[in-house]
Amino acid sequence: MSQTATRDRSALGTDTQLDVELRKVFKVYNGETAVRGIDLNIHSGEFFSILGPSGCGKTTTLRMIAGFEEPSGGEVMIRGKSMTGVPPYKRPVNTVFQSYALFSHLTVWDNVAFSLRLKSCGNAELRDRVGDALRLVKMDDFARRFPAQLSGGQQQRVALARALVNHPTVLLLDEPLGALDLKLRKEMQVELSNLHRELGLTFVMVTHDQEEALSLSDRIAVMSNGKIEQIGTPSEIYEHPKTAFVADFIGDTNLLKGRIESINAATLQVVTDNHLRIEARPETPWDNSNSPEVFVSIRPEKVHLELSAPANPVNCYEGTLKHVMYLGTHVDYQVDLTTGDRITVLQPNRSDRLLALGTSVYVYWAAEDCLALTPQE
């Protein structure tokens, strides 16, 4: 299996060509608003992911790009052209579904050729395009098999070939790897990344899998309750979340609620609900006009754990070790502080000796690793 090469994400998104634009797009079902006036620009050649929990509106957004749903308000643009009233089969997009949606009575070859035959594609061109699509996904040796004779990963490759054979401007991926087991999903993530790089097409993927979005995407839009909370590169989303929801949804974090006690040039002094005093840095400019309510977020890998109190640290607290989870490469420690707060610490596994439950410990972290975030709107 070939490995994914590192992409220079700093060079992406500089192309002025926008393949997909959403302008103040709403979707209302039976009086319930599923998508709340979102704006979105996706550049040519990007691998763009829409990430969020179930019911957040991400699949509805993808379906409006595909044309399976019409917006209740706003406009969907593809390559600068409005898609209002344009049916799915006339849009320069193709969709790959989680369920594969292959025709069980047709061979792999005939599944991939199906849409070209509907377009009355000539025999020579049809053979070339179907052959090219199957070779691209490494399924040319399985052309005469039926879907029931294929593994889940092989069926997903056929679904990809069937979408790519139409030479779409944009490939839409609706939870494409959700039906696969963990090992196969990892393998297909590598294949998707390599395929995207080879083709240079715009990929738009919907997923609830944070790791999948972080590893594959050039940029990510995090959605909640029909709204976009934040758009950014994977590192921006993880290291610099703008809201408590984004910090909590992307990866693991220690999230504590409190109120601002004082503000200085670089940091905020926060007192949590359990009277823990924390020095944190604001992720966005903060002044007295902001709400005094705040969340502080500290990633577990940014927290240090010691058996004795370190000299003059910021944000240092005493506690008791309540849970140890051995993860192979890392160890997950759960520490109950004397205030009643629980802090998760993720440390590299540098020894085969684990700390015993009930051990008195100290946890501490730097102020710059502790983010002060606004509550979710």
Side-chain angles (χ1 to χ4, degrees):
M1 180 71 67
S2 60
Q3 293 300 307
T4 307
T6 301
R7 289 202 291 247
D8 180 11
R9 286 185 166 122
S10 64
L12 293 162
T14 57
D15 190 340
T16 56
Q17 172 72 56
L18 295 178
D19 274 356
V20 179
E21 296 176 74
L22 273 60
R23 300 176 176 176
K24 297 289 186 293
V25 170
F26 284 82
K27 184 62 182 180
V28 179
Y29 293 105
N30 300 320
E32 296 291 330
T33 305
V35 176
R36 301 172 182 273
I38 64 173
D39 292 297
L40 193 59
N41 292 334
I42 301 174
H43 294 269
S44 179
E46 272 195 299
F47 197 126
F48 192 96
S49 291
I50 304 174
L51 174 67
S54 297
C56 72
K58 59 187 185 296
T59 296
T60 299
T61 300
L62 195 79
R63 288 177 61 83
M64 287 190 287
I65 297 171
F68 300 131
E69 302 280 356
E70 280 292 328
S72 304
E75 191 169 31
V76 174
M77 310 279 290
I78 298 178
R79 282 283 174 95
K81 296 182 179 179
S82 174
M83 293 293 106
T84 302
V86 179
Y89 65 90
K90 288 190 176 181
R91 298 189 182 197
V93 303
N94 273 98
T95 306
V96 177
F97 300 98
Q98 179 180 345
S99 61
Y100 316 135
L102 300 178
F103 297 113
S104 60
H105 64 291
L106 298 180
T107 64
V108 166
W109 178 277
D110 289 328
N111 263 283
V112 177
F114 185 81
S115 62
L116 296 181
R117 287 185 170 132
L118 289 179
K119 297 175 182 177
S120 301
C121 184
N123 289 334
E125 183 184 0
L126 185 144
R127 282 195 303 273
D128 289 344
R129 287 174 64 172
V130 173
D132 288 344
L134 289 175
R135 280 190 292 275
L136 196 61
V137 299
K138 302 179 179 64
M139 287 298 293
D140 42 320
D141 291 338
F142 299 83
R144 297 306 167 195
R145 293 194 185 182
F146 289 89
Q149 298 171 305
L150 304 176
S151 68
Q154 289 170 334
Q155 290 184 53
Q156 187 60 279
R157 291 172 191 266
V158 176
L160 280 166
R162 187 176 59 182
L164 294 170
V165 78
N166 292 304
H167 299 164
T169 297
V170 181
L171 184 67
L172 305 176
L173 303 154
D174 186 6
E175 301 274 8
L177 310 182
L180 305 179
D181 62 48
L182 179 61
K183 183 175 184 296
L184 194 52
R185 191 159 67 244
K186 296 285 189 185
E187 292 175 0
M188 285 301 298
Q189 286 175 9
V190 173
E191 291 298 323
L192 266 182
S193 182
N194 290 337
L195 191 62
H196 173 253
R197 186 181 306 103
E198 183 175 351
L199 294 173
L201 286 177
T202 301
F203 282 24
V204 181
M205 179 177 72
V206 155
T207 182
H208 66 273
D209 188 311
Q210 305 146 33
E211 183 182 338
E212 191 169 278
L214 290 171
S215 63
L216 289 174
S217 311
D218 298 317
R219 286 192 305 149
I220 300 169
V222 182
M223 288 191 70
S224 173
N225 296 322
K227 296 169 59 178
I228 293 177
E229 291 273 324
Q230 186 174 348
I231 298 175
T233 65
S235 62
E236 287 169 347
I237 294 288
Y238 185 82
E239 299 288 351
H240 304 285
K242 300 298 184 186
T243 67
F245 174 83
V246 175
D248 195 34
F249 187 75
I250 305 296
D252 295 321
T253 195
N254 295 289
L255 198 65
L256 303 172
K257 186 180 178 183
R259 296 178 66 84
I260 297 170
E261 186 175 68
S262 62
I263 301 173
N264 62 33
T267 61
L268 305 175
Q269 301 297 321
V270 177
V271 178
T272 71
D273 290 353
N274 286 335
H275 307 292
L276 197 68
R277 294 184 177 275
I278 298 175
E279 185 174 330
R281 68 175 174 87
E283 185 52 38
T284 55
W286 210 291
D287 57 39
N288 291 323
S289 66
N290 291 97
S291 168
E293 289 192 352
V294 66
F295 283 92
V296 291
S297 169
I298 316 101
R299 297 291 185 188
E301 68 272 18
K302 308 284 189 182
V303 183
H304 304 277
L305 186 147
E306 300 289 349
L307 293 176
S308 56
N312 302 319
V314 176
N315 300 326
C316 180
Y317 312 98
E318 188 176 0
T320 304
L321 192 58
K322 288 297 183 182
H323 186 73
V324 178
M325 184 178 294
Y326 179 76
L327 303 175
T329 59
H330 288 76
V331 181
D332 182 298
Y333 292 106
Q334 304 282 326
V335 178
D336 281 0
L337 305 185
T338 56
T339 58
D341 295 291
R342 174 164 290 191
I343 298 295
T344 300
V345 185
L346 187 65
Q347 289 196 331
N349 179 18
R350 297 192 178 96
S351 170
D352 60 356
R353 297 177 63 185
L354 302 179
L355 295 176
L357 297 182
T359 301
S360 293
V361 295
Y362 291 86
V363 296
Y364 65 96
W365 56 83
E368 58 265 27
D369 291 330
C370 181
L371 305 182
L373 303 169
T374 59
Q376 180 185 3
E377 293 181 4

